[in-house]
Amino acid sequence: MSDAPMRALDHVRPRTARAGLLGLALLLVATPVAAEPTVRLLELPFKVREMRGPRTEVATAVATSGLLPILRAGKDPVPVVLVWGEEGGAVLILENGTVAVKPVGREAVEDLVASETPRGALPGLRRALDGPLSAFLSGRTRSADGVPAATTLTFRERQPMAVSTDPKPVPIATATLSAGEGALFAANPPRIVSLAGRPAVLAATLTGSDAGGLVLATRTSSDPAAWTVSARTTSGPRPAIAAVGDFTGKGTGAATVDSTGRLTLWTLAPDRIEPGAQAAGYTIGEGEADLAETLPREGGADLALPVAGTPALAIVSTRDGLREHARVTLPAPAGTGVAALGERLIVGLSDGRVAAITLDGGKP
């Protein structure tokens, strides 16, 4: 057999290989590569002691108070993150495509912060607020193993009043609820959610040495005093509420991190709290700082929270189980807060600094 066909094939092989390499190169150019998250430390002339995100009561008050005229330049208040410490305060806003720092007086900030903790509430523990309804923990105590706790969940609700030319105090209806026999409320701020068109309050409980659970308080009528515990979970490692929201696109849920570092999603209904997906290796700290944030996405929401044992922030998808799809290394562990500001994440670090993060590699 002549070797001419083999020689012809030898000429074809290099051309085929070159065509394949060219096609691969074009594919790589055409296929977008996921950008690495970008971290920038903000220039602040003070160490941050506390932080509040855009959805908190204090940040909303700052955005509407006239403290900074720039915050009311448009029709709607500008979302802000508020930070402060012993030597100053600052409002963080998005300006010209990046996070900008606007100094404010610490005293003005602390005057607004005072309203977060009503009279009778556990010291330093914020209330939950949604329209006319507020809920907070009261009755300061400790569990049998010395952990700070509360005996009572208190509800306060502003009542409608007739229009009058005479100044009158707004009537307030107050109700209280205990955690149940053998249980106390954990020193973890309660959360107000809407279930079946009515308000409900989710709170964490202590039920024994390193044990606790969740309770759901609802009311079946418009009577402001008709609050009752309508659902509770079985006792397990002590949980802390990380966030509430529609994580799966199927209705209101909650995310908790327990004392073992286990992240759990829960489905909420007026008469039940059902456990869902779980994943290990996370933390939201032991203080009152908000170290978890929901990130709305199509069909649900992601969750941003610190990784246990390492200075990093995890972005966890919650739409189909729990799947970590990004991890951002931080200059120090998260300590004073984690909050979304537009497409940026603001992280208050444990050493008093503040980092701004973009997950798509843009300028923070």
Side-chain angles (χ1 to χ4, degrees):
M1 177 179 174
S2 171
D3 61 352
M6 295 301 296
R7 288 196 300 269
L9 184 58
D10 289 339
H11 286 293
V12 171
R13 282 173 178 157
R15 289 198 299 269
T16 304
R18 286 195 297 271
L21 289 173
L22 178 60
L24 178 60
L26 291 174
L27 179 63
L28 291 174
V29 170
T31 303
V33 178
E36 289 294 322
T38 305
V39 180
R40 176 171 69 97
L41 289 172
L42 302 181
E43 295 184 7
L44 293 166
F46 59 91
K47 286 189 174 182
V48 170
R49 177 170 51 88
E50 294 197 58
M51 171 179 152
R52 300 289 186 271
R55 291 193 292 269
T56 61
E57 181 179 351
V58 171
T60 301
V62 168
T64 57
S65 66
L67 190 62
L68 283 179
I70 191 175
L71 300 182
R72 304 195 69 178
K75 182 181 296 185
D76 299 318
V78 175
V80 306
V81 170
L82 183 66
V83 295
W84 72 96
E86 297 298 333
E87 299 176 349
V91 172
L92 311 181
I93 65 171
L94 289 179
E95 187 176 68
N96 299 323
T98 189
V99 178
V101 177
K102 306 294 181 180
V104 294
R106 177 179 60 83
E107 294 79 7
V109 172
E110 292 186 340
D111 286 343
L112 293 170
V113 170
S115 65
E116 285 186 314
T117 305
R119 182 177 300 176
L122 261 64
L125 202 66
R126 287 172 276 158
R127 65 179 176 177
L129 181 66
D130 185 11
L133 175 66
S134 65
F136 57 91
L137 299 180
S138 55
R140 187 178 185 181
T141 187
R142 288 185 177 273
S143 66
D145 54 352
V147 175
T151 61
T152 309
L153 177 59
T154 297
F155 309 88
R156 301 186 70 200
E157 188 169 8
R158 299 193 307 271
Q159 300 300 296
M161 58 184 300
V163 177
S164 172
T165 56
D166 298 328
K168 295 180 180 179
V170 177
I172 304 291
T174 301
T176 59
L177 196 63
S178 68
E181 186 176 354
L184 295 168
F185 289 106
N188 181 219
R191 307 296 180 101
I192 299 176
V193 296
S194 178
L195 300 175
R198 291 184 178 274
V201 176
L202 184 69
T205 63
L206 306 177
T207 57
S209 178
D210 196 33
L214 299 174
V215 295
L216 190 65
T218 60
R219 64 184 188 201
T220 57
S221 70
S222 58
D223 181 358
W227 288 95
T228 183
V229 173
S230 59
R232 67 174 68 243
T233 64
T234 58
S235 183
R238 288 179 176 173
I241 302 170
V244 294
D246 185 359
F247 295 107
T248 62
K250 299 178 181 179
T252 302
T256 63
V257 178
D258 67 26
S259 55
T260 70
R262 179 178 57 190
L263 170 64
T264 302
L265 290 187
W266 304 84
T267 299
L268 305 179
D271 59 349
R272 62 187 185 278
I273 308 171
E274 297 179 342
Q278 297 182 332
Y282 301 99
T283 180
I284 55 170
E286 297 180 357
E288 303 311 319
D290 295 323
L291 295 186
E293 176 68 293
T294 55
L295 307 175
R297 296 288 184 264
E298 184 178 354
D302 292 345
L303 187 65
L305 76 168
V307 179
T310 185
L313 190 72
I315 311 300
V316 180
S317 173
T318 63
R319 282 163 287 187
D320 184 17
L322 292 174
R323 179 176 55 85
E324 189 174 312
H325 63 79
R327 183 173 285 199
V328 185
T329 300
L330 300 172
T336 56
V338 175
L341 185 60
E343 295 298 317
R344 276 73 173 174
L345 277 171
I346 307 299
V347 182
L349 304 175
S350 59
D351 60 8
R353 295 180 294 173
V354 176
I357 300 169
T358 53
L359 299 177
D360 61 0
K363 184 177 180 180

